[in-house]
Structure formats: structure tokens, C-alpha cells
Amino acid sequence: MISVRFSHPVFLVDTELIKSTIDDHRVMFAWRMLTSNIYTRIHNLQGPTSAISQREAIAALVEDFATAFAPYIDSHFTVEDHLGHLTSVVQAAADLGAWLFSQPCSFEFRWSPLVTPLNQIVMFPAVLKVGDEQGHLLSVPHTLVEETSARI
């Protein structure tokens, strides 16, 4: 345990906790790189079969989501428009997830509190790069995308 003294308060730093956090991050990095490599190989070997099963999973998710939220549907758009748009959003999210997971860098999504004091709600979180290409934590995260909020 290291004691760091400033003008008045004393802060205790648990060096074992810091080491454990860094070790955990390195283990997660190694696991992500290994599973990403396996996923890519399997995805390439399965070819069209993998794409078909992904499309089927997305279609099932879209159908379940559309059914659950049917009472709130905007009648100005056709059902096909709703399903097409939702399918494109889910497909983009799946592609982004696979891409982010397979990167050697680590990313984090940061959300502000659900409703900010200014009567705003976060629509999209900030995206931060928190680890480098060798699996090391960055001392200061890099903001790649700023959080987007809307007034309610």
C-alpha cells in the first residue's frame, strides 16, 4: 500500500489492485485477439452459410422487437419501411460490434446519467479508446466520438 499525501487529505493507493486491473486488461486483450482470430477463420470457412445464419438471427430479432413495440409505431410509415430501417440498424450494430471486438485496441462506451440536469437525454454514447494496439491501458483515454444528447 502506498500513501500519497497532498496538502490535507491522505489518499491510499492499493498497488495490488492496480496491478490486478492491468493484468486483467492484458488477459482480456489476449482472449479478444484469440477469439477474434478464431471467429474470422470460422466465418471465412463457412462463407455464405455464416452470412445466412446472421441474417436469420437479425430477422428474428427485428420481428420480436417490432412485435413488442407495435403499439408505438408511427403510422406515417409502412410496416416494410419500419422493418427495413430496423434491420439496417441491427445489421450496422452487429457489424460494428464484430469490428470493435476484433481490433487490438480497446474501446469503451460512456453514457452520462440517463437524464441530464438540462432536461436532455443521451441518444448516443461517447466512444473512447482505452487501450492501445499492444493491449496496454492508455493513461488518458482518447475520445473518438462525442456523446450526442437531445432535449426532452
Side-chain angles (χ1 to χ4, degrees):
M1 187 79 65
I2 299 172
S3 177
V4 181
R5 191 175 270 292
F6 292 95
S7 55
H8 289 289
V10 173
F11 297 94
L12 299 176
V13 179
D14 186 342
T15 54
E16 286 306 308
L17 179 61
I18 291 171
K19 183 181 180 317
S20 170
T21 301
I22 291 170
D23 289 345
D24 289 349
H25 183 77
R26 299 282 298 159
V27 168
M28 283 297 293
F29 169 78
W31 174 76
R32 275 190 16 257
M33 292 302 94
L34 176 63
T35 53
S36 171
N37 186 290
I38 292 169
Y39 170 81
T40 303
R41 287 178 186 214
I42 290 171
H43 189 70
N44 289 340
L45 288 174
Q46 290 179 342
T49 306
S50 178
I52 291 169
S53 63
Q54 183 181 28
R55 280 195 302 272
E56 288 170 351
I58 289 171
L61 173 73
V62 165
E63 186 175 325
D64 290 346
F65 187 92
T67 301
F69 289 93
Y72 309 102
I73 201 163
D74 184 347
S75 60
H76 290 94
F77 298 96
T78 66
V79 172
E80 292 77 22
D81 287 340
H82 286 287
L83 295 178
H85 182 263
L86 186 53
T87 298
S88 68
V89 168
V90 173
Q91 180 65 57
D95 292 344
L96 176 63
W99 182 83
L100 283 175
F101 183 81
S102 66
Q103 296 303 303
C105 304
S106 297
F107 302 94
E108 181 178 296
F109 294 92
R110 244 187 229 156
W111 298 81
S112 293
L114 191 55
V115 178
T116 66
L118 302 173
N119 290 328
Q120 293 187 342
I121 187 166
V122 176
M123 302 301 291
F124 301 104
V127 179
L128 304 165
K129 178 179 174 183
V130 295
D132 69 11
E133 291 78 4
Q134 284 77 43
H136 301 277
L137 286 172
L138 299 176
S139 57
V140 176
H142 297 224
T143 301
L144 302 176
V145 178
E146 294 288 336
E147 181 180 86
T148 303
S149 59
R151 190 170 204 181
I152 53 174

